[in-house]
Amino acid sequence: MQVSTDEGVQWQEIDAGLDGEFWHGAVLERSGVMIAAGKGGVAALSRTNGTSWSSVITGTQHDLFGSYADEPSHSFFLMGQSGTLLRSVDGGLSWTILDSGTRTALRRMI
């Protein structure tokens, strides 16, 4: 993982100690919680401002291409293959599968 604490001016490489591919991350800035979406439905979670990471089981095996953090509700969303849409309301510890209404790959949320 690459982590910046100065708005992207400098980056520090962190050995997450995880196998797999992770493609997109999101941050709940006030709490320092980070999530990264990954291959085969696996996500990487940091509750320490990116200094350490753990693998999270999301409840899907679909590839997860995107992530979104909603600061006001302290929620994360992960999205991906075949319309997969997931939500966590506990800082990335557990995930609920939502019906996105599509089978098209979802890549980003704004």
Side-chain angles (χ1 to χ4, degrees), residues 14-36:
I14 304 292
D15 180 2
L18 302 174
D19 291 328
E21 294 180 43
F22 301 96
W23 298 305
H24 192 266
V27 179
L28 291 169
E29 289 185 47
R30 283 182 264 165
S31 62
V33 179
M34 302 175 180
I35 194 80

Side-chain angles (χ1 to χ4, degrees), residues 89-103:
V89 295
D90 59 4
L93 297 174
S94 63
W95 295 88
T96 301
I97 298 173
L98 303 175
D99 180 6
S100 69
T102 185
R103 300 285 298 151

Side-chain angles (χ1 to χ4, degrees), residues 65-109:
F65 305 124
S67 57
Y68 178 79
D70 181 61
E71 194 76 47
S73 67
H74 197 70
S75 298
F76 281 119
F77 293 86
L78 297 174
M79 65 268 344
Q81 180 183 6
S82 301
T84 300
L85 182 59
L86 308 171
R87 178 179 61 202
S88 173
V89 295
D90 59 4
L93 297 174
S94 63
W95 295 88
T96 301
I97 298 173
L98 303 175
D99 180 6
S100 69
T102 185
R103 300 285 298 151
T104 302
L106 301 175
R107 301 212 178 252
R108 301 291 181 265
M109 178 185 286

